Amino acid sequence: MIINMREGASEEEIIHVIERVREAGYQAHVTRGTERAIVAAVGSGGRRHELEALAAAAGVMDVVPIAQPFKLVSRQVKPQRTVVNVGGVQIGDGSFAVIAGPCSVESREQLFSTAKAVKAAGARLLRGGAYKPRTSPYEFQGLGLEALRLLREVREALGLPIVTEVMSTEDVDVICEHADMLQVGARNMQNFALLRRLAAIKKPILLKRGPSASVKEWLLAAEYLLAGGNQEVVLCERGIKTFETETRNTLDLASIALARELSHLPVIADPSHGTGRPTLIAPMSRAAAALGADGLMVEVHPCPERALSDGPQSLDFTGFCHLMRSLGEPLRANGNGNAAAAD
C-alpha cells in the first residue's frame, strides 16, 4: 500500500504513519518529494486493514494499493526519477552516460590503451571484466584479482570510475575494494542469494536483464536490491533470446521505454550484446538515445580480432569514435529539409 501524505504534513505526522505501518507488520519506505512525502508499506503477512485505516490519520491524503508486484521499484512509490552516482558520474540526471571498455581485462597495455581511447572519445565510465562467466569451461575466464588491481590502477591514473561484473557472493568484498559499480550479469539476474548480498552493500549496482526474462521479472530482480536497502540501481537492457538467428540477441528497445515508464530507476542499453554485430552498435545506440535511455554500455578493444572474449561484437577505437560522434548528429532530415535531432 502507498500512504500519500498531504502537502505540508509535519515530520511528527510522517513519523506516526511510519510507526503505524511497522506495527501493522510491514516495512516502511519513505520517499520525500519537493512538495510531499510518500510512505510505502511493503511485505507480506501484515494486517492490511490497519493500513487502510491510516486514511483517517492526521496528515494523510489517501491510501492506495500498489498496482504492480514490484513495489519500491515502481513509479507509484517514487514518481521522480532516481539519479545514481557512480564515482562522481551521474546516471539518470538527464545526461547520457556511456560506459565503455573491453569485455575482459587481458593485460595492462590493453586496458590502459583502451581506457585512454574511450575517455578521449567521451566515455565517462570504464567497463572491464575481471571474472568472466563463459558458456564453455575451456574459454578464457578472466584474470581475477590481477584484473581488479589493473582496473583500480587505471581509475587512479585517468579518473574513470570502474564497472565490473560480480559472479559470486564470495567475490563481493574484494570487488567492492576495487570497483565503483558492480555489474550483475544476465546469467545472474535471478541469482537471489547474490542479489540479497548486493542489497546490503554501499555500492551502485548495474542489473542486466536475463536473456529470457520478462520486464516484470527484471524489475522484480531489482526489487530484491531495493527491498534489501540498496537504492543505487541502474537497469541494463542487453537483448533477449528470440527466433532471430542473424543477431546474437534481440535488443528490446520497447522494453527500455516500458521500464522507464514503470520504474523510476535509470535504464541503459547494451547494443554490443544486444546485436553481436559491430555494424549495428551505432544505429541501435542512436535509437536507444532517441527513446530516452539514460546511457550505453559498449565493448571496445584495441584489436577485436585478437580479443580473448567477445571480439566479434567489440568496436575498435575508430569505430567507438564514430559511435560517439554519431550520438550528437541529427536523426534525419524532416520534410522541410531541416534536421530532426534526438533529445
Side-chain angles (χ1 to χ4, degrees):
M1 302 287 283
I2 294 175
I3 300 98
N4 290 310
M5 304 302 296
R6 296 185 184 277
E7 184 177 353
S10 68
E11 187 64 24
E12 289 76 15
E13 291 170 336
I14 296 171
I15 291 173
H16 172 73
V17 168
I18 292 171
E19 291 174 347
R20 292 291 294 114
V21 167
R22 291 171 177 165
E23 289 172 9
Y26 295 90
Q27 297 176 18
H29 296 264
V30 184
T31 300
R32 299 178 187 273
T34 55
E35 297 181 354
R36 58 188 177 88
I38 297 173
V39 181
V42 299
S44 59
R47 297 176 295 281
R48 186 184 177 93
H49 67 280
E50 294 185 22
L51 296 182
E52 295 170 344
L54 285 173
V60 173
M61 182 171 66
D62 57 21
V63 179
V64 297
I66 300 176
Q68 299 290 350
F70 41 88
K71 313 299 182 183
L72 303 179
V73 167
S74 171
R75 294 196 73 178
Q76 266 189 286
V77 171
K78 186 180 179 184
Q80 66 270 32
R81 303 211 64 82
T82 288
V83 178
V84 175
N85 186 312
V86 185
V89 174
Q90 307 277 7
I91 303 178
D93 65 346
S95 62
F96 196 72
V98 177
I99 307 167
C103 174
S104 299
V105 177
E106 300 169 3
S107 68
R108 187 179 188 278
E109 180 182 0
Q110 171 244 19
L111 185 62
F112 264 85
S113 63
T114 304
K116 291 175 182 177
V118 299
K119 181 178 181 180
R124 301 174 65 195
L125 302 102
L126 177 69
R127 63 150 294 155
Y131 303 91
K132 295 303 300 179
R134 306 303 301 278
T135 302
S136 168
Y138 307 112
E139 295 178 332
F140 179 63
Q141 305 289 312
L143 297 179
L145 184 56
E146 181 185 351
L148 292 176
R149 290 169 177 160
L150 288 172
L151 287 165
R152 186 171 183 172
E153 184 181 348
V154 168
R155 180 186 61 199
E156 292 171 355
L158 302 180
L160 286 173
I162 300 301
V163 182
T164 195
E165 184 169 356
V166 57
M167 293 172 50
S168 166
T169 56
E170 299 172 355
D171 299 325
V172 171
D173 290 337
V174 68
I175 292 177
C176 282
E177 293 176 11
H178 297 81
D180 299 285
M181 177 180 239
L182 279 65
Q183 172 188 315
V184 177
R187 293 174 177 86
N188 273 318
M189 189 203 81
Q190 290 185 311
N191 182 339
F192 300 119
L194 180 59
L195 294 177
R196 289 190 180 98
R197 177 70 180 85
L198 295 174
I201 68 172
K202 302 298 182 183
K203 291 276 186 177
I205 306 299
L206 180 66
L207 179 65
K208 285 198 165 188
R209 181 184 180 188
S212 300
S214 67
V215 171
K216 182 182 292 186
E217 290 168 334
W218 186 22
L219 296 179
L220 282 169
E223 188 79 9
Y224 271 85
L225 297 167
L226 272 69
N230 193 335
Q231 310 296 314
E232 302 288 296
V233 178
V234 176
L235 302 170
C236 181
E237 161 58 33
R238 48 79 69 201
I240 56 174
K241 294 292 186 183
T242 68
F243 56 80
E244 182 55 67
T245 58
E246 291 301 310
T247 56
R248 177 175 178 178
N249 295 290
T250 298
L251 189 64
D252 190 358
L253 293 175
S255 287
I256 296 175
L258 179 59
R260 294 186 86 254
E261 178 181 310
L262 296 175
S263 172
H264 55 84
L265 297 176
V267 187
I268 69 170
D270 177 353
S272 299
H273 283 88
T275 66
R277 288 176 171 261
T279 55
L280 297 181
I281 292 175
M284 296 305 285
S285 297
R286 285 161 56 79
L291 62 82
D294 296 290
L296 298 173
M297 171 175 267
V298 181
E299 292 189 344
V300 182
H301 193 280
C303 183
E305 66 183 65
R306 295 181 180 274
L308 297 181
S309 58
D310 283 354
Q313 68 186 34
S314 298
L315 295 176
D316 59 18
F317 298 164
T318 301
F320 183 68
C321 286
H322 168 74
L323 162 65
M324 295 300 288
R325 286 196 301 269
S326 73
L327 292 173
E329 296 173 353
L331 291 178
R332 63 178 64 191
N334 62 27
N336 297 322
N338 298 319
D343 292 337

